[in-house]
Amino acid sequence: MATGWAQDGAVQQQIDDSVKDAIERARAQLPSGPSMSRCEECGEEIPAARREAMAGVRLCVTCQDEADRHQQAVGPYNRRGSKDSQLR
């Protein structure tokens, strides 16, 4: 198939790179270490069950929900629009 300037497999490589970046970003955001007993945002006590269920908890459920909503609003990087990905 004629692909112009793109090499064979370039589209799949771009997809693989996007997936790899998303996995690395998700792993970097996972909490680690000891959990805090109080929320670092609002100061409310974090329930023991939440601290035991997940390592490195720093926010109460309410603040974590707000942080998650903010993260979704920002959205991931769009590799398709990147000039770097078009030059590979």
Side-chain angles (χ1 to χ4, degrees):
M1 170 161 61
T3 58
W5 291 77
Q7 298 175 354
D8 289 341
V11 173
Q12 186 62 47
Q13 181 64 41
Q14 186 176 15
I15 292 169
D16 293 344
D17 288 344
S18 295
V19 170
K20 181 181 172 188
D21 290 347
I23 291 170
E24 288 175 8
R25 192 170 37 252
R27 283 185 178 155
Q29 294 174 352
L30 288 174
S32 62
S35 295
M36 297 178 71
S37 60
R38 296 212 168 264
C39 177
E40 66 180 18
E41 289 291 321
C42 68
E44 291 291 320
E45 185 176 351
I46 299 173
R50 176 167 168 75
R51 293 190 313 249
E52 292 170 8
M54 199 171 177
V57 173
R58 305 184 74 74
L59 301 174
C60 66
V61 174
T62 305
C63 292
Q64 184 66 56
D65 185 47
E66 183 63 33
D68 290 345
R69 273 195 252 130
H70 176 72
Q71 182 74 22
Q72 289 174 351
V74 172
Y77 177 70
N78 182 359
R79 183 180 289 276
R80 293 179 100 188
S82 166
K83 285 191 174 191
D84 291 339
S85 69
Q86 295 170 7
L87 295 174
R88 287 188 187 179

